Amino acid sequence: MTAHERPAPAGRAAPGTLTEEAFRELYRRLRDRTAREAALGRGALDRLTPERVVAAAAGVRSGRTVSLAAPVETGTAEDSPEPATHRMTAPDRRERDAPGLHFARDRIAMNVHGDVDSHLDALCHVIFDGELYGGVPASTVTPDGAGALTLDLVRDGLVGRGVLLDVPRLRGVPWLEPGEQVTAEDLAAAETAQEVRAGPGDLLLVRVGHRRRRRTLGAWDVTRARAGLHPRAMEFAAERQVSVLGSDGNNDAAPSAVTGVPFPVHVLAVNAMGLHLLDYLDLEELATACEETGRSDFLCVVAPLRLPAATGSPVNPVAVL
């Protein structure tokens, strides 16, 4: 039996799969719940009010900063067949040895939506039934870039109260195994255990231990098996009215819990609810800091690149405790 085929831990029932019909009903319910925000065209960003940013900043105590991004990788791995490329463009040998002023220069290229590097998904990233979030036609995405709901919506950054819910800590394990899924009940139980509660406008970060497992055991084919959220966990996000959802994995588990619909959490979060997603963060240092300080909330600052027609961006989110 492989790791992703193992049964649920004793005392825990595995989350059920959803038929496509049941998933579409969940999709409609979550979409209708956020219909007013969809009409305004910014999704859940409107919950990140100036007052909530000020309140989040007031919660800073020690000033300790923690990066929530993994280092950009340039080597191929089982989960990264097309890694980022980084090459030096200057100086050449003549410039290195010559007197006077010269500059070291480099160039980087990457697949923004890969399975290794930390990145942000814009609201134009997910097409479902020919539409983007809010019923915007998918035809607005062209070979020249996206024409609506682009990364430009977050050009001023995402700044607010971050909340880390550590599911492996809740379950008493170092990480969740590939294929395991986080339920709404898990998230509520993590709130209780950590004495924190996510609320309107928050940046909700869910640790599944993906990075720790990868560093310990090595890379694996995450397209076949990875830990993530069960689609019904999005009802928790809707109830708490968070603005952003992030994870140290893909947010979606594999295999998919929905028959015929891969990446159901992406569909629900981005396309139905208007949530910007943060994929493949590194939450290990933050989890340690939260345990050391006895708190699970912090000021969170996310600064995407200024790419006006893009569907996403590499990011280096920072938690300020």
Side-chain angles (χ1 to χ4, degrees), residues 133-156:
Y133 171 65
V136 173
S139 59
T140 55
V141 181
T142 73
D144 295 322
L149 303 173
T150 71
L151 194 66
D152 200 49
L153 283 178
V154 289
R155 63 182 178 271
D156 296 321

Side-chain angles (χ1 to χ4, degrees), residues 156-172:
D156 296 321
L158 296 166
V159 181
R161 176 179 181 252
V163 173
L164 174 68
L165 296 183
D166 191 338
V167 179
R169 177 183 172 188
L170 173 73
R171 297 188 186 179

Side-chain angles (χ1 to χ4, degrees), residues 5-313:
E5 293 171 329
R6 75 176 194 175
R12 285 188 53 82
T17 59
L18 298 178
T19 64
E20 185 172 348
E21 180 182 3
F23 172 77
R24 287 181 176 275
E25 173 56 33
L26 176 61
Y27 174 91
R28 287 189 291 269
R29 188 163 65 250
L30 293 175
R31 180 197 60 195
D32 293 347
R33 186 167 183 163
T34 57
R36 186 190 67 83
E37 292 171 341
L40 297 175
R42 285 170 39 85
L45 292 179
D46 285 326
R47 302 172 193 164
L48 266 176
T49 63
E51 294 78 14
R52 286 173 177 154
V53 175
V54 170
V60 174
R61 300 173 190 171
S62 68
R64 177 178 178 179
T65 59
V66 180
S67 169
L68 310 183
V72 174
E73 297 191 17
T74 57
T76 57
E78 196 168 359
D79 54 358
S80 184
E82 297 179 327
T85 58
H86 175 232
R87 67 181 183 88
M88 300 302 296
T89 59
D92 59 25
R93 181 175 299 178
R94 177 187 61 80
E95 291 173 322
R96 286 197 304 268
D97 299 335
L101 174 66
H102 303 281
F103 293 100
R105 301 190 302 274
D106 48 1
R107 181 186 302 274
I108 187 168
M110 67 187 302
N111 169 19
V112 171
H113 299 288
D115 289 318
V116 170
D117 298 316
S118 305
H119 63 271
L120 172 82
D121 291 343
L123 296 187
C124 58
H125 175 52
V126 179
I127 301 169
F128 189 62
D129 288 345
E131 293 182 342
L132 306 179
Y133 171 65
V136 173
S139 59
T140 55
V141 181
T142 73
D144 295 322
L149 303 173
T150 71
L151 194 66
D152 200 49
L153 283 178
V154 289
R155 63 182 178 271
D156 296 321
L158 296 166
V159 181
R161 176 179 181 252
V163 173
L164 174 68
L165 296 183
D166 191 338
V167 179
R169 177 183 172 188
L170 173 73
R171 297 188 186 179
V173 295
W175 56 70
L176 303 191
E177 289 293 346
E180 290 192 70
Q181 298 184 45
V182 177
T183 66
E185 291 76 18
D186 285 324
L187 298 178
E191 284 186 325
T192 300
Q194 297 172 217
E195 298 182 336
V196 70
R197 182 179 174 89
D202 285 351
L203 288 75
L204 175 61
L205 308 179
V206 180
R207 177 178 174 263
V208 297
H210 179 96
R211 292 289 179 182
R212 184 173 175 183
R213 187 184 194 279
R214 188 176 187 267
R215 291 191 184 109
T216 303
L217 302 180
W220 70 96
D221 183 359
V222 298
T223 63
R224 292 183 59 247
R226 61 180 179 270
L229 297 171
H230 188 272
R232 291 203 183 279
M234 296 313 299
E235 294 179 298
F236 175 93
E239 178 67 28
R240 296 295 188 269
Q241 296 185 309
V242 300
S243 282
V244 178
L245 175 64
S247 175
D248 50 349
N250 174 261
N251 284 291
D252 265 292
S256 172
V258 180
T259 305
V261 181
F263 302 99
V265 170
H266 274 66
V267 174
L268 296 175
V270 179
N271 193 283
M273 300 169 64
L275 293 177
H276 284 77
L277 284 186
L278 293 163
D279 290 337
Y280 292 108
L281 300 176
D282 189 337
L283 301 176
E284 294 307 304
E285 185 178 351
L286 177 63
T288 299
C290 287
E291 288 200 63
E292 290 174 349
T293 58
R295 59 180 300 194
S296 297
D297 63 333
F298 40 85
L299 175 66
C300 191
V301 180
V302 185
L305 300 177
R306 290 294 300 270
L307 299 168
T311 66
S313 171

